[in-house]
RNA sequence: GGCGCCAUGGUCAAGUGGUUAAGACGUCGGCUUCUCAGGCCGAAAUCGAGGGUUCGACUCCCUCUAGCGCUACCA
């Protein structure tokens, strides 16, 4: 019998969707969809203090923006709900298993204060021992231990429940990405908490209960969970459950610090939302992330989610950490924008509205013209839509200041000759003149005056745009308003050429 | 410190005992003769180090080293 493939992405709503999380989600989605399995979203909100208001919504919104969909989640529960750990706890889903472990003597109540534990750890450090929890009921019978519980309860102490780690065991598994891994039970740091004093299960415990109850078959997650895995296997085994397959993907690390991406790194844009706001395309984000720590067979670099899904092969997941390369992301996004420019155009125009370069009304009525301006200005060179604002601002919506260098070109002997020849030629040209017409005109000035190169082009460019460099001038002239150009030229003439 | 993971160019990486060690980003150079952008062409690696195994190692083994991760009543 073949087991149904069910994988999950289980974020904790303590922040927005970060590149690293997005990657975990994407690869889980790819795994599920490639093998016709189910992709489930479960919210791990057992840390009530760190949950933030919109964390969950933001996570899901951004996932959807990336193009992912899911089969079960808090909003569309399947048969294994609820899908938030806090609600599962309220419904008492975890308690019976804690009670079971307690009853079997595999877990116990611990009343040690955090101060005591801290002091123990300090002493261990000082003695150059690895920090580990010290079992406080050593040698006591069950009854004696129960008596201790009563004693502590009478003092008003709140217990946590700790799992009694079988220290002599070695936990091993065949990792989907890393191969065989084994870790001795004594390395987990002693008996660990499965239920906090507030009654919430801890992460390593709740994960096991939920993965089992939700029939999760494969757990694909970050490398940083490798050392949690033995703890989790302990629980699966203690409860007599089948252990899912684990796969630990290499981490994405910050190129500057070399450390794993942290929400606290301010020097790097690392939330999906930030890229969304700058006008990165979701396909580009997926494309970039899909190539971090995974490689396709051929030499292509541009892939859609669908393409990744078809090609997906967990054996091609890389074992080594990958640095986040923003330059490559920019390039990939540029490729996606160019690939479907018509589709991106409304977004580009919207950027101009947001920047107050055009009104919302003009954005609609002049959209064809705006599209031309954007193309002429060189949209093929930008990395994300927000950049279009500075790309077109000058000279299409504002004129820049004249620099000394510009004035020199204009007021040189050649400049004066070129200007006056251009002035009469341009004035005579119809408004419908094409780029070829302008080119022909400029060439004829070149022939007549015998001036070429910068000395020819710069005076014209400067007089019409207040720029010394920019897109192809004939094309710009086509797109710019003739009256505006005429008055710009008149002003330049009045100011510098009299 | 302990345990675990890992190691091909600045970056992402292909490669699975015999190759001129793919490709992409970035960088640099050239061309595209108004500039910018774009496009095109081109350049740059003794595969972390040292030992093995082998006729032959980037590829297999060992040691070392570097890097990363974990070491919570966080997830």
């Amino acid at each position: 019998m073949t087991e149904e493939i069910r994988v999950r992405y289980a974020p904790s709503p303590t922040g927005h969707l970060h590149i690293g999380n997005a990657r975990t989600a994407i690869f889980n989605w790819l795994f599920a969809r490639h093998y016709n399995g189910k992709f489930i979203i479960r919210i791990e909100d057992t840390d009530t203090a760190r949950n933030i208001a919109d964390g969950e919504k933001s996570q899901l919104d951004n996932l959807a923006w990336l193009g992912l969909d899911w089969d079960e989640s808090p909003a569309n529960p399947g048969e294994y709900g609820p899908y938030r750990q806090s609600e599962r706890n309220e419904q008492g889903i975890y308690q019976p298993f804690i009670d079971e472990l307690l009853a079997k003597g595999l877990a116990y109540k611990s009343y040690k204060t955090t101060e005591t534990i801290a002091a123990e750890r300090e002493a261990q450090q000082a003695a150059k021992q690895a920090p580990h929890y010290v079992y406080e009921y050593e040698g006591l019978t069950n009854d004696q231990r129960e008596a201790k519980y009563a004693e502590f309860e009478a003092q008003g102490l709140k217990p946590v429940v700790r799992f009694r780690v079988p220290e002599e065991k070695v936990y091993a598994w065949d990792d989907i990405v890393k191969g065989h891994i084994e870790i001795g039970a004594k390395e987990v740091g002693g008996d660990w908490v499965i239920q906090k004093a507030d009654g919430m299960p801890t992460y390593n415990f709740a994960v096991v209960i939920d993965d089992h109850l939700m029939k999760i078959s494969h757990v694909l997650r970050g490398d940083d969970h490798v050392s949690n895995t033995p703890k989790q296997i302990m629980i699966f085994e203690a409860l007599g459950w089948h252990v899912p397959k684990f796969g630990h993907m290499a981490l994405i690390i910050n190129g500057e610090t070399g450390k794993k991406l942290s929400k606290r790194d301010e020097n790097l844009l690392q939330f999906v939302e930030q890229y969304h706001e700058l006008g990165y395309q979701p396909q580009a984000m997926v494309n970039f992330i899909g190539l971090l720590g995974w490689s396709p067979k051929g030499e292509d670099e541009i892939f859609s989610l669908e393409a990744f899904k078809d090609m997906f092969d967990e054996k091609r997941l890389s074992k080594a950490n990958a640095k986040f390369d923003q330059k490559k992301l920019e390039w990939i996004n540029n490729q996606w924008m160019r690939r479907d420019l018509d589709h991106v155009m409304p977004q580009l125009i919207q950027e101009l509205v947001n920047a107050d370069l055009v009104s919302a009304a003009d954005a609609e009525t002049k959209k064809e013209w705006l599209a031309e301006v954007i193309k002429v200005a060189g949209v093929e060179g930008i990395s994300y839509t927000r950049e279009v604002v500075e790309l077109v601002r000058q000279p299409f919506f504002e004129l820049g200041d004249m620099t000394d260098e510009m004035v020199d070109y204009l007021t040189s002997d050649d400049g004066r000759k070129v200007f006056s020849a251009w002035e009469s030629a341009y004035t005579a040209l119809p408004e419908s003149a094409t780029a070829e017409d302008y080119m022909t005109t400029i060439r004829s000035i070149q022939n007549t005056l015998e001036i070429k190169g910068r000395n020819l082009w710069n005076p014209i460019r400067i007089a019409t745009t207040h720029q010394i460099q920019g897109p192809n001038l004939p094309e710009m002239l086509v797109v710019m308003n003739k009256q505006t150009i005429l008055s710009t030229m008149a002003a330049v003439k009045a100011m510098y050429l009299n």
Side-chain angles (χ1 to χ4, degrees), chain A residues 265-476:
Chain A
D265 291 339
E266 303 282 343
N267 57 337
L268 184 69
L269 295 179
Q270 53 174 317
F271 292 102
V272 170
E273 212 151 30
Q274 294 173 305
Y275 289 95
H276 185 173
E277 282 166 11
L278 286 172
Y280 280 79
Q281 304 301 304
Q283 299 93 323
M285 297 305 293
V286 167
N287 195 154
F288 174 70
I289 292 170
L291 255 18
L292 261 189
W294 188 86
S295 63
K297 267 191 177 136
E299 293 179 356
D300 294 339
E301 301 277 337
I302 303 300
F303 298 106
S304 65
L305 228 207
E306 275 299 299
F308 276 130
K309 185 200 84 180
D310 294 340
M311 304 185 295
F312 181 77
D313 177 357
E314 67 279 11
K315 289 194 255 336
R316 298 186 73 83
L317 245 4
S318 144
K319 295 191 206 183
N321 293 346
K323 282 185 182 151
F324 181 87
D325 180 3
Q326 205 160 322
K327 282 277 187 286
K328 180 131 186 189
L329 206 206
E330 288 178 2
W331 176 79
I332 289 176
N333 194 55
N334 171 277
Q335 296 294 307
W336 276 96
M337 287 199 297
R338 292 167 60 160
R339 169 172 290 217
D340 194 3
L341 189 56
D342 290 345
H343 179 253
V344 180
M345 194 52 79
Q347 199 181 330
L348 290 163
I349 292 175
Q350 185 58 40
E351 296 283 9
L352 305 186
V353 176
N354 296 347
D356 283 331
L357 254 35
V358 303
S359 68
D362 284 355
E364 187 49 37
T365 58
K366 297 184 180 173
K367 62 183 175 190
E368 268 106 42
W369 173 72
L370 288 167
E372 283 311 304
V373 168
I374 287 169
K375 286 180 195 162
V376 167
V379 68
E380 305 226 312
I382 67 175
S383 302
Y384 48 91
T385 64
R386 181 74 60 84
E387 283 186 325
V388 78
V389 175
E390 295 318 313
L391 185 70
V392 302
R393 184 186 293 277
Q394 292 178 6
F396 301 102
F397 299 93
E398 292 169 14
L399 287 177
D401 294 334
M402 296 282 281
T403 63
D404 291 347
E405 191 187 12
M406 294 183 205
V407 173
D408 288 346
Y409 267 108
L410 221 36
T411 57
S412 67
D413 290 349
D414 283 356
R416 288 169 189 276
K417 284 190 240 171
V418 169
F419 180 89
S420 94
W422 167 251
E423 186 184 34
S424 48
Y426 181 70
T427 310
L429 246 19
E431 256 200 273
S432 59
T434 64
E436 292 73 45
D437 296 335
Y438 290 122
M439 196 57 159
T440 309
T441 302
I442 293 170
R443 289 291 177 219
S444 94
I445 293 174
Q446 170 176 335
N447 293 333
T448 313
L449 263 35
E450 293 187 321
I451 296 172
K452 59 176 183 172
R454 298 175 190 217
N455 290 338
L456 168 71
W457 286 87
N458 280 348
I460 301 175
R461 181 183 285 282
I462 292 162
T464 51
T465 69
H466 282 204
Q467 287 185 151
I468 202 161
Q469 65 172 49
N472 289 329
L473 189 55
E475 289 174 29
M476 291 174 79

Side-chain angles (χ1 to χ4, degrees), chain A residues 19 25 53 69 78-79 134 195 225 227 243-244 276 294 334 339 343 378 466 479 483:
Chain A
I19 300 283
D69 59 354
E79 51 185 311
V134 181
Q195 185 177 42
H225 287 284
S227 36
V243 182
H276 185 173
W294 188 86
N334 171 277
R339 169 172 290 217
H343 179 253
H466 282 204
V479 136
Q483 287 313 312

